[in-house]
Amino acid sequence: MSEGTTTPPLRPPAPAKQGSHRRSIPLLGPLLALLALLLFNIFFTPNFLTAQTLNVNLTQVATIVIVGVGMTLVIATAGIDLSVGALMAIAGALAPMLFLNPPLGSPALGVALAFVLPVLAAGAFGMFNGLLVTRFQIQPFIATLVLFIAGRGIAQVLTNGQLQTFSNTSFQVIGLGRPFGIPVQVILMLVVVALFAWVMARTVFGRQILAVGGNERAARLSGVPVNRVKLAVYGISGLLSGIAGLIVISINSSSDANQVGLNMELDAIAAVAVGGTALTGGRATIVGTLLGALIIQLIRYSLLARGVPDAAALVVKAGIILLAVYVQRQRR
């Protein structure tokens, strides 16, 4: 290049315009699968189009979706959270202790604290997971495996290994309440999905989550507070797990530390994978997680309605997860 000549400054290429049809492509597969399942059951499953069947399927899937939303955020950062079921058990163990033995002898205070303190405790344990990942640089699988193993033990210690049974109308509204005929847990599920779908699509925090999962080193160099983002997503996952734990014990009118949240981590990961979120991080769809959970639930319902044992339904679920991962790899 001759002296005195100047080169124009390099400019980053203009971002490609993405229309709504481009954004909807990741959801196309789950939507088509859900539609096919709905049509199959409408034509071949007796009494499928009834309010009772709708309520059964939605109430069974609500806790999976709530936990799955938190799992989606964690996986979007290229992490994993195996402790969600144990955190549900911890929250489920703490809540009855508060309203069965209310502080200051006030039942109303006991119920109020039972809605708040167990969820905050689960969120704190989630932050502990995040601390292991960020401060001590432990792989997320191993970091969350700690509470996967110890968390349920903590719940058993809190309850002395005893089943807690109760009947408390004020508390059980979270699992048994039906304003306008709609189960409260379904309302909570929709609120959680709508809130975090908005967070991922419209906020800086949502873009930071995807940046961390897409390329952590580049995100750090760009000024993204990587550690704070990871702490936040693990904390959110813990909070949502706590809410799910309260719903489960409310429905059952009992708290069993051995059973609350059992295998929930597998159900949540399955919903995330089937819904189209990349398990390698960097891409996430909250609505897809909702669709994924509905797909898995409808498949299980369809099999059980035809007399197929639940154990066989688990095998089918595993096959669905493998298919979802294969489709993701082909898309990449």
Side-chain angles (χ1 to χ4, degrees):
M1 185 180 297
S2 61
E3 186 177 350
T5 61
T6 59
T7 58
L10 295 176
R11 296 179 181 176
K17 295 182 179 180
Q18 295 183 350
S20 59
H21 67 289
R22 295 289 295 275
R23 290 193 295 268
S24 64
I25 287 176
L27 295 179
L28 182 59
L31 279 171
L32 291 176
L34 182 61
L35 179 61
L37 283 168
L38 287 172
L39 291 175
F40 174 82
N41 282 286
I42 287 171
F43 287 108
F44 299 106
T45 302
N47 302 317
F48 181 73
L49 290 179
T50 62
Q52 181 180 3
T53 300
L54 178 64
N55 279 336
V56 166
N57 282 292
L58 287 179
T59 52
Q60 289 184 354
V61 85
T63 51
I64 297 175
V65 173
I66 291 172
V67 175
V69 168
M71 186 71 74
T72 302
L73 301 183
V74 172
I75 289 178
T77 63
I80 197 76
D81 189 353
L82 300 180
S83 68
V84 290
L87 297 188
M88 288 176 62
I90 291 174
L94 283 173
M97 296 172 65
L98 290 166
F99 61 74
L100 291 176
N101 303 285
L104 305 178
S106 171
L109 178 60
V111 171
L113 292 177
F115 280 123
V116 177
L117 293 185
V119 175
L120 293 179
F125 279 113
M127 294 284 284
F128 172 76
N129 286 332
L131 187 65
L132 293 180
V133 172
T134 56
R135 178 67 62 86
F136 298 99
Q137 299 296 307
I138 300 175
Q139 291 183 349
F141 183 90
I142 302 301
T144 58
L145 188 63
V146 172
L147 279 176
F148 171 81
I149 297 171
R152 199 167 295 279
I154 293 172
Q156 291 172 344
V157 169
L158 289 172
T159 61
N160 291 321
Q162 301 297 315
L163 174 68
Q164 298 181 97
T165 58
F166 53 84
S167 177
N168 189 305
T169 305
S170 299
F171 174 77
Q172 290 181 268
V173 68
I174 192 173
L176 301 178
R178 293 177 180 271
F180 308 106
I182 304 174
V184 168
Q185 67 263 43
V186 174
I187 296 174
L188 287 173
M189 174 188 74
L190 295 176
V191 169
V192 167
V193 168
L195 172 62
F196 285 99
W198 175 80
V199 167
M200 294 302 295
R202 300 295 181 183
T203 68
V204 173
F205 178 60
R207 291 193 290 272
Q208 289 175 339
I209 290 174
L210 298 181
V212 170
N215 190 324
E216 181 176 327
R217 185 169 182 270
R220 197 181 299 275
L221 293 173
S222 300
V224 175
V226 172
N227 288 349
R228 278 187 288 173
V229 170
K230 288 185 177 182
L231 279 172
V233 296
Y234 282 99
I236 291 170
S237 180
L239 290 171
L240 294 177
S241 298
I243 293 173
L246 299 188
I247 293 173
V248 169
I249 67 167
S250 172
I251 294 172
N252 296 333
S253 300
S254 64
S255 174
D256 185 353
N258 291 312
Q259 296 297 323
V260 174
L262 191 65
N263 295 326
M264 178 57 75
E265 55 281 339
L266 303 181
D267 290 334
I269 293 170
V272 173
V274 174
T277 292
L279 297 181
T280 53
R283 189 180 76 236
T285 165
I286 301 295
V287 175
T289 298
L290 170 64
L291 296 177
L294 290 172
I295 289 169
I296 294 172
Q297 171 62 26
L298 279 181
I299 289 174
R300 180 173 179 269
Y301 176 84
S302 303
L303 293 174
L304 293 178
R306 281 152 186 79
V308 177
D310 197 35
L314 293 176
V315 176
V316 174
K317 183 190 296 185
I320 295 169
I321 297 172
L322 288 174
L323 178 61
V325 173
Y326 173 77
V327 170
Q328 285 188 18
R329 289 177 63 87
Q330 294 298 108
R331 186 178 295 163
R332 289 178 61 194

PDB file of all heavy atoms in Angstrom, residues 158-174:
ATOM      1  N   LEU A 158     -34.203 -32.450  58.383  1.00  0.00           N
ATOM      2  CA  LEU A 158     -35.153 -31.454  58.868  1.00  0.00           C
ATOM      3  C   LEU A 158     -36.421 -32.097  59.410  1.00  0.00           C
ATOM      4  O   LEU A 158     -37.026 -31.594  60.366  1.00  0.00           O
ATOM      5  CB  LEU A 158     -35.506 -30.477  57.738  1.00  0.00           C
ATOM      6  CG  LEU A 158     -34.404 -29.504  57.305  1.00  0.00           C
ATOM      7  CD1 LEU A 158     -34.833 -28.737  56.057  1.00  0.00           C
ATOM      8  CD2 LEU A 158     -34.072 -28.533  58.426  1.00  0.00           C
ATOM      9  N   THR A 159     -36.837 -33.186  58.805  1.00  0.00           N
ATOM     10  CA  THR A 159     -38.088 -33.846  59.199  1.00  0.00           C
ATOM     11  C   THR A 159     -37.859 -35.094  60.040  1.00  0.00           C
ATOM     12  O   THR A 159     -38.830 -35.811  60.339  1.00  0.00           O
ATOM     13  CB  THR A 159     -38.891 -34.228  57.948  1.00  0.00           C
ATOM     14  OG1 THR A 159     -38.116 -35.148  57.154  1.00  0.00           O
ATOM     15  CG2 THR A 159     -39.222 -33.003  57.115  1.00  0.00           C
ATOM     16  N   ASN A 160     -36.603 -35.370  60.407  1.00  0.00           N
ATOM     17  CA  ASN A 160     -36.261 -36.592  61.141  1.00  0.00           C
ATOM     18  C   ASN A 160     -36.704 -37.848  60.390  1.00  0.00           C
ATOM     19  O   ASN A 160     -37.020 -38.882  61.005  1.00  0.00           O
ATOM     20  CB  ASN A 160     -36.893 -36.582  62.536  1.00  0.00           C
ATOM     21  CG  ASN A 160     -36.266 -35.542  63.434  1.00  0.00           C
ATOM     22  OD1 ASN A 160     -35.053 -35.333  63.409  1.00  0.00           O
ATOM     23  ND2 ASN A 160     -37.093 -34.864  64.218  1.00  0.00           N
ATOM     24  N   GLY A 161     -36.764 -37.719  59.060  1.00  0.00           N
ATOM     25  CA  GLY A 161     -37.152 -38.853  58.236  1.00  0.00           C
ATOM     26  C   GLY A 161     -38.617 -39.215  58.336  1.00  0.00           C
ATOM     27  O   GLY A 161     -39.029 -40.282  57.862  1.00  0.00           O
ATOM     28  N   GLN A 162     -39.441 -38.332  58.924  1.00  0.00           N
ATOM     29  CA  GLN A 162     -40.857 -38.618  59.129  1.00  0.00           C
ATOM     30  C   GLN A 162     -41.711 -37.977  58.045  1.00  0.00           C
ATOM     31  O   GLN A 162     -41.400 -36.898  57.529  1.00  0.00           O
ATOM     32  CB  GLN A 162     -41.309 -38.088  60.498  1.00  0.00           C
ATOM     33  CG  GLN A 162     -40.544 -38.674  61.679  1.00  0.00           C
ATOM     34  CD  GLN A 162     -40.746 -40.166  61.806  1.00  0.00           C
ATOM     35  OE1 GLN A 162     -41.865 -40.662  61.693  1.00  0.00           O
ATOM     36  NE2 GLN A 162     -39.662 -40.890  62.049  1.00  0.00           N
ATOM     37  N   LEU A 163     -42.792 -38.640  57.708  1.00  0.00           N
ATOM     38  CA  LEU A 163     -43.776 -38.078  56.793  1.00  0.00           C
ATOM     39  C   LEU A 163     -44.577 -37.000  57.519  1.00  0.00           C
ATOM     40  O   LEU A 163     -45.100 -37.244  58.616  1.00  0.00           O
ATOM     41  CB  LEU A 163     -44.715 -39.171  56.291  1.00  0.00           C
ATOM     42  CG  LEU A 163     -45.898 -38.724  55.422  1.00  0.00           C
ATOM     43  CD1 LEU A 163     -45.402 -38.207  54.079  1.00  0.00           C
ATOM     44  CD2 LEU A 163     -46.881 -39.867  55.226  1.00  0.00           C
ATOM     45  N   GLN A 164     -44.653 -35.809  56.938  1.00  0.00           N
ATOM     46  CA  GLN A 164     -45.438 -34.719  57.521  1.00  0.00           C
ATOM     47  C   GLN A 164     -46.791 -34.645  56.810  1.00  0.00           C
ATOM     48  O   GLN A 164     -46.837 -34.389  55.600  1.00  0.00           O
ATOM     49  CB  GLN A 164     -44.711 -33.379  57.366  1.00  0.00           C
ATOM     50  CG  GLN A 164     -43.375 -33.297  58.077  1.00  0.00           C
ATOM     51  CD  GLN A 164     -42.734 -31.934  57.907  1.00  0.00           C
ATOM     52  OE1 GLN A 164     -42.844 -31.055  58.764  1.00  0.00           O
ATOM     53  NE2 GLN A 164     -42.039 -31.744  56.795  1.00  0.00           N
ATOM     54  N   THR A 165     -47.856 -34.888  57.527  1.00  0.00           N
ATOM     55  CA  THR A 165     -49.194 -34.775  56.943  1.00  0.00           C
ATOM     56  C   THR A 165     -49.886 -33.545  57.526  1.00  0.00           C
ATOM     57  O   THR A 165     -49.620 -33.148  58.659  1.00  0.00           O
ATOM     58  CB  THR A 165     -50.036 -36.027  57.244  1.00  0.00           C
ATOM     59  OG1 THR A 165     -50.134 -36.204  58.652  1.00  0.00           O
ATOM     60  CG2 THR A 165     -49.387 -37.263  56.618  1.00  0.00           C
ATOM     61  N   PHE A 166     -50.769 -32.946  56.742  1.00  0.00           N
ATOM     62  CA  PHE A 166     -51.427 -31.723  57.193  1.00  0.00           C
ATOM     63  C   PHE A 166     -52.695 -31.479  56.392  1.00  0.00           C
ATOM     64  O   PHE A 166     -52.926 -32.099  55.342  1.00  0.00           O
ATOM     65  CB  PHE A 166     -50.480 -30.519  57.031  1.00  0.00           C
ATOM     66  CG  PHE A 166     -49.909 -30.371  55.647  1.00  0.00           C
ATOM     67  CD1 PHE A 166     -50.617 -29.723  54.642  1.00  0.00           C
ATOM     68  CD2 PHE A 166     -48.663 -30.898  55.333  1.00  0.00           C
ATOM     69  CE1 PHE A 166     -50.093 -29.585  53.368  1.00  0.00           C
ATOM     70  CE2 PHE A 166     -48.127 -30.767  54.068  1.00  0.00           C
ATOM     71  CZ  PHE A 166     -48.848 -30.107  53.078  1.00  0.00           C
ATOM     72  N   SER A 167     -53.501 -30.581  56.917  1.00  0.00           N
ATOM     73  CA  SER A 167     -54.670 -30.082  56.211  1.00  0.00           C
ATOM     74  C   SER A 167     -54.791 -28.603  56.547  1.00  0.00           C
ATOM     75  O   SER A 167     -55.204 -28.234  57.645  1.00  0.00           O
ATOM     76  CB  SER A 167     -55.933 -30.836  56.643  1.00  0.00           C
ATOM     77  OG  SER A 167     -57.074 -30.308  55.996  1.00  0.00           O
ATOM     78  N   ASN A 168     -54.360 -27.780  55.599  1.00  0.00           N
ATOM     79  CA  ASN A 168     -54.332 -26.338  55.824  1.00  0.00           C
ATOM     80  C   ASN A 168     -54.848 -25.651  54.565  1.00  0.00           C
ATOM     81  O   ASN A 168     -54.138 -25.532  53.571  1.00  0.00           O
ATOM     82  CB  ASN A 168     -52.908 -25.884  56.151  1.00  0.00           C
ATOM     83  CG  ASN A 168     -52.853 -24.433  56.601  1.00  0.00           C
ATOM     84  OD1 ASN A 168     -53.315 -23.539  55.918  1.00  0.00           O
ATOM     85  ND2 ASN A 168     -52.285 -24.200  57.777  1.00  0.00           N
ATOM     86  N   THR A 169     -56.094 -25.220  54.616  1.00  0.00           N
ATOM     87  CA  THR A 169     -56.743 -24.650  53.438  1.00  0.00           C
ATOM     88  C   THR A 169     -56.009 -23.422  52.927  1.00  0.00           C
ATOM     89  O   THR A 169     -55.864 -23.234  51.707  1.00  0.00           O
ATOM     90  CB  THR A 169     -58.203 -24.287  53.758  1.00  0.00           C
ATOM     91  OG1 THR A 169     -58.878 -25.430  54.269  1.00  0.00           O
ATOM     92  CG2 THR A 169     -58.919 -23.803  52.497  1.00  0.00           C
ATOM     93  N   SER A 170     -55.533 -22.590  53.831  1.00  0.00           N
ATOM     94  CA  SER A 170     -54.873 -21.350  53.413  1.00  0.00           C
ATOM     95  C   SER A 170     -53.585 -21.635  52.642  1.00  0.00           C
ATOM     96  O   SER A 170     -53.290 -20.989  51.637  1.00  0.00           O
ATOM     97  CB  SER A 170     -54.568 -20.484  54.636  1.00  0.00           C
ATOM     98  OG  SER A 170     -55.751 -20.134  55.306  1.00  0.00           O
ATOM     99  N   PHE A 171     -52.821 -22.601  53.105  1.00  0.00           N
ATOM    100  CA  PHE A 171     -51.579 -22.940  52.412  1.00  0.00           C
ATOM    101  C   PHE A 171     -51.846 -23.723  51.130  1.00  0.00           C
ATOM    102  O   PHE A 171     -51.221 -23.495  50.099  1.00  0.00           O
ATOM    103  CB  PHE A 171     -50.662 -23.747  53.331  1.00  0.00           C
ATOM    104  CG  PHE A 171     -49.430 -24.252  52.633  1.00  0.00           C
ATOM    105  CD1 PHE A 171     -48.366 -23.404  52.359  1.00  0.00           C
ATOM    106  CD2 PHE A 171     -49.341 -25.580  52.225  1.00  0.00           C
ATOM    107  CE1 PHE A 171     -47.235 -23.864  51.699  1.00  0.00           C
ATOM    108  CE2 PHE A 171     -48.216 -26.049  51.569  1.00  0.00           C
ATOM    109  CZ  PHE A 171     -47.155 -25.193  51.303  1.00  0.00           C
ATOM    110  N   GLN A 172     -52.796 -24.636  51.182  1.00  0.00           N
ATOM    111  CA  GLN A 172     -53.011 -25.557  50.059  1.00  0.00           C
ATOM    112  C   GLN A 172     -53.699 -24.912  48.865  1.00  0.00           C
ATOM    113  O   GLN A 172     -53.912 -25.571  47.848  1.00  0.00           O
ATOM    114  CB  GLN A 172     -53.787 -26.785  50.533  1.00  0.00           C
ATOM    115  CG  GLN A 172     -52.948 -27.678  51.438  1.00  0.00           C
ATOM    116  CD  GLN A 172     -53.701 -28.909  51.899  1.00  0.00           C
ATOM    117  OE1 GLN A 172     -54.332 -28.889  52.954  1.00  0.00           O
ATOM    118  NE2 GLN A 172     -53.624 -29.972  51.108  1.00  0.00           N
ATOM    119  N   VAL A 173     -53.991 -23.626  48.975  1.00  0.00           N
ATOM    120  CA  VAL A 173     -54.552 -22.931  47.819  1.00  0.00           C
ATOM    121  C   VAL A 173     -53.579 -22.950  46.648  1.00  0.00           C
ATOM    122  O   VAL A 173     -53.997 -22.948  45.490  1.00  0.00           O
ATOM    123  CB  VAL A 173     -54.926 -21.473  48.192  1.00  0.00           C
ATOM    124  CG1 VAL A 173     -53.677 -20.636  48.468  1.00  0.00           C
ATOM    125  CG2 VAL A 173     -55.747 -20.831  47.078  1.00  0.00           C
ATOM    126  N   ILE A 174     -52.274 -23.027  46.918  1.00  0.00           N
ATOM    127  CA  ILE A 174     -51.282 -23.011  45.848  1.00  0.00           C
ATOM    128  C   ILE A 174     -51.353 -24.281  44.998  1.00  0.00           C
ATOM    129  O   ILE A 174     -50.968 -24.279  43.824  1.00  0.00           O
ATOM    130  CB  ILE A 174     -49.860 -22.834  46.425  1.00  0.00           C
ATOM    131  CG1 ILE A 174     -48.865 -22.510  45.305  1.00  0.00           C
ATOM    132  CG2 ILE A 174     -49.408 -24.069  47.181  1.00  0.00           C
ATOM    133  CD1 ILE A 174     -47.486 -22.150  45.795  1.00  0.00           C
TER     134      ILE A 174
END
